[in-house]
Amino acid sequence: MLSSALLSRATAGRHILCKRLMSISSSSSIIKVSFVGLGNMGMQMALNLAKQREDALAKLQFTVYDMNEANLLKFMKQAIEVGIGRSTVLQSASDLTTLAEASPDFVVTSLPTCEASEAVVGSIVNNLPPSSSATGCLFIDTSTISPAVSKKLHQQVKSVSPHHDYVDAPVSGGVKGATDASLTFMTGCSSEETFQKIQPLLKRMGKAVLPCGTSGSGSAVKLCNNAALAAQMIGICEAMSLGESLGVDPSVLANVMNVSTAKCWSSEVNNPHPIAAKSIGSGASANDYEGGFGTALMLKDLNLALDAAVEEGKSMPLTGLSRQLYSLADNRGLGRKDFGVMLQFLNAI
């Protein structure tokens, strides 16, 4: 349980909340990592990143920030519960300026929009101390944003100091993957040296770190992936709905699909039917579509994909239809529910 001392510090104004769970004697070997964005994905990713490992990041000074005070409290509470602190200095910053002034070696972000990424990265890089320009700060943006914004942020970071760098590294795997540290990272890196630097951090949070090309390419791959995923989920929703109407047990239908040609992530890991999800033991639908990948976020990604398609002169009719359906679901008040709630939306129309 979270100590009363920590609770009082966390709620007493917006000053630095700093709770050392254990001191590290050899401060010169400490790697300073900051994590910004403690939402459904970021919370779990940050916890996995901060956990003690016998690896190159054995000693960390780990700083977290989220504009939502409740998220900071939740993170600190869970960090203590899972025993983070044996070899980690854990602290929370009151604002981005304070976070930047601590001169982090790495800044990992998990944010919901392009605008949020631009604001956070811009604020931090412009407030890093002069000494940081010599050693360099490496930004790893796991947010799903447009390739154009990723390239812009890379240029902005490099313009402050050639020793700084920015990597777009969006993820696939959902909240379950974030919790299990089985995410796939799609990375856009400026160099092989940078790609090697980010691997120890990302491998704490995922199972695969894939190089996709230069700056912006990770974001491009993620948008393509999510365009396919949106249509995939709609297809599974329609099939599960039809099967149930025909009198087929949803668990039976899902089990058959998952050993047949319809097998996919939306059928096996995040099945949109609550009965099937409970039978499988995985899926936000089993929890009233809470705690998954929000419908509004999927809609945002589809807008980004279609904007990129317009810029490139590409036609994406199925993605356009997917966007219309997710937009209608969002307008019905389902934006905060996992995007598998599309099943309930289709059943209602």
Side-chain angles (χ1 to χ4, degrees), residues 167-191:
V167 175
D168 47 296
V171 303
S172 178
V175 175
K176 186 178 188 301
T179 304
D180 299 341
S182 60
L183 293 170
T184 294
F185 289 89
M186 298 158 247
T187 64
C189 288
S190 60
S191 68

Side-chain angles (χ1 to χ4, degrees), residues 25-177:
S25 59
S26 179
S27 60
S28 61
S29 63
I30 296 177
I31 299 173
K32 294 185 286 185
V33 178
S34 294
F35 197 107
V36 181
L38 300 173
N40 288 338
M41 294 289 292
M43 181 76 69
Q44 302 305 319
M45 293 165 65
L47 286 169
N48 282 323
L49 181 53
K51 286 177 183 176
Q52 185 182 20
R53 303 282 201 285
E54 294 300 326
D55 59 16
L57 301 173
K59 294 182 179 180
L60 292 181
Q61 176 179 304
F62 198 78
T63 304
V64 291
Y65 174 78
D66 192 285
M67 63 186 299
N68 187 330
E69 186 86 30
N71 286 350
L72 288 173
L73 280 169
K74 183 178 178 181
F75 174 84
M76 300 299 274
K77 179 177 183 292
Q78 291 189 21
I80 291 175
E81 289 175 348
V82 299
I84 292 173
R86 296 185 183 91
S87 189
T88 300
V89 178
L90 181 64
Q91 59 190 23
S92 173
S94 60
D95 53 55
L96 294 175
T97 300
T98 303
L99 183 149
E101 290 173 348
S103 191
D105 300 304
F106 296 91
V107 174
V108 183
T109 54
S110 178
L111 301 163
T113 64
C114 294
E115 293 77 13
S117 283
E118 289 183 281
V120 168
V121 173
S123 177
I124 295 174
V125 76
N126 289 324
N127 284 287
L128 290 169
S131 60
S132 181
S133 295
T135 56
C137 177
L138 207 169
F139 291 80
I140 305 174
D141 196 348
T142 70
S143 317
T144 299
I145 59 178
S146 75
V149 170
S150 293
K151 293 176 182 178
K152 175 184 174 182
L153 290 174
H154 178 261
Q155 293 171 353
Q156 180 181 1
V157 167
K158 296 295 285 187
S159 70
V160 174
S161 169
H163 298 293
H164 297 329
D165 211 342
Y166 171 94
V167 175
D168 47 296
V171 303
S172 178
V175 175
K176 186 178 188 301

